[in-house]
Amino acid sequence: KQEVTQIPAALSVPEGENLVLNCSFTDSAIYNLQWFRQDPGKGLTSLLLIQSSQREQTSGRLNASLDKSSGRSTLYIAASQPGDSATYLCAVQSTGNQFYFGTGTSLTVIP
Amino acid sequence: KAGVTQTPRYLIKTRGQQVTLSCSPISGHRSVSWYQQTPGQGLQFLFEYFSETQRNKGNFPGRFSGRQFSNSRSEMNVSTLELGDSALYLCASSPAGTNAYEQYFGPGTRLTVT
């Protein structure tokens, strides 16, 4: 069974810093990996989707990379802002079309 | 396009009752998945429906069931509610049709069982 781990569980940084969130998974047979953000009590907002054949995706200040062979993905956030404060979740779509989520990284950006 | 909608947004039920939650996917999307999110267990996959058929199922007891209608709208039912069923229930829709696809989530239904 696929297991997804996110480190760190919580992160607090001053505004303007660049930061990296990590996601690891145990089974490299995946279709894609998706990063989401979740604000308290709300649903998930899709940030980036990386297909299994891709190495990275970029959107604005966000860059996500994927290394299938090592079972790792990173989400890089440049020049962090207080509005980036949220929980960030990664999810892998495994063969069989099931999605497995990590437990998330809670990010606080201090003004 | 309108996003994924879920109704109701909040629900309070008593232990032993049953509840039905509804999800309307993005227009044109044929796959609907349901998840349970709790502080202790995180996001756990319940089941996925595609073209009115359950295509995948997570590891939840039979008290949790679902269905999908011809217009792709989906409902999830939980019978004989337990205190541990208190959670945020999220649905996600996808265009599907191929093996790899992106999921779009609704705002969730917050269920409290007392």
Side-chain angles (χ1 to χ4, degrees):
Chain A
K1 180 195 166 187
Q2 180 77 265
E3 291 186 8
V4 182
T5 305
Q6 289 187 248
I7 295 172
L11 184 63
S12 183
V13 300
E15 182 178 0
E17 271 206 6
N18 303 324
L19 58 102
V20 175
L21 307 180
N22 297 292
C23 172
S24 61
F25 47 95
T26 54
D27 185 352
S28 62
I30 66 170
Y31 286 128
N32 64 39
L33 185 144
Q34 196 168 356
W35 282 93
F36 297 89
R37 72 171 277 167
Q38 185 176 31
D39 294 287
K42 302 288 181 64
L44 277 63
T45 301
S46 179
L47 297 173
L48 289 165
L49 171 74
I50 310 177
Q51 305 281 4
S52 62
S53 59
Q54 298 174 321
R55 297 283 294 185
E56 66 178 315
Q57 282 287 336
T58 298
S59 176
R61 295 183 292 108
L62 306 179
N63 175 276
S65 67
L66 174 64
D67 184 343
K68 256 186 28 171
S69 60
S70 66
R72 292 180 184 175
S73 175
T74 61
L75 178 66
Y76 174 83
I77 302 177
S80 58
Q81 303 171 356
D84 295 331
S85 298
T87 295
Y88 290 80
L89 295 149
C90 70
V92 297
Q93 183 191 0
S94 291
T95 54
N97 290 331
Q98 280 219 23
F99 286 82
Y100 296 89
F101 280 80
T103 49
T105 293
S106 177
L107 172 66
T108 302
V109 180
I110 304 166
Chain B
K1 272 187 180 178
V4 179
T5 59
Q6 291 186 245
T7 56
R9 294 292 313 281
Y10 303 91
L11 208 47
I12 300 175
K13 289 287 188 178
T14 303
R15 196 169 45 180
Q17 289 185 316
Q18 76 165 16
V19 66
T20 298
L21 312 181
S22 180
C23 173
S24 293
I26 292 171
S27 177
H29 287 193
R30 295 163 62 193
S31 167
V32 174
S33 298
W34 287 90
Y35 295 86
Q36 181 194 68
Q37 187 177 33
T38 59
Q41 299 295 319
L43 260 160
Q44 293 186 287
F45 173 75
L46 281 155
F47 29 66
E48 181 214 6
Y49 285 86
F50 178 75
S51 293
E52 301 179 65
T53 301
Q54 188 180 85
R55 187 161 68 172
N56 283 294
K57 187 176 187 305
N59 190 26
F60 277 80
R63 300 186 297 108
F64 292 81
S65 63
R67 59 177 175 168
Q68 186 179 35
F69 302 95
S70 59
N71 61 359
S72 292
R73 189 177 71 84
S74 177
E75 287 182 347
M76 189 193 91
N77 185 75
V78 187
S79 63
T80 318
L81 284 165
E82 301 177 358
L83 295 178
D85 296 334
S86 294
L88 181 67
Y89 289 87
L90 294 161
C91 87
S93 78
S94 302
T98 60
N99 287 329
Y101 49 89
E102 185 170 4
Q103 290 199 311
Y104 300 83
F105 279 80
T109 294
R110 171 74 62 185
L111 172 64
T112 302
V113 182
T114 61

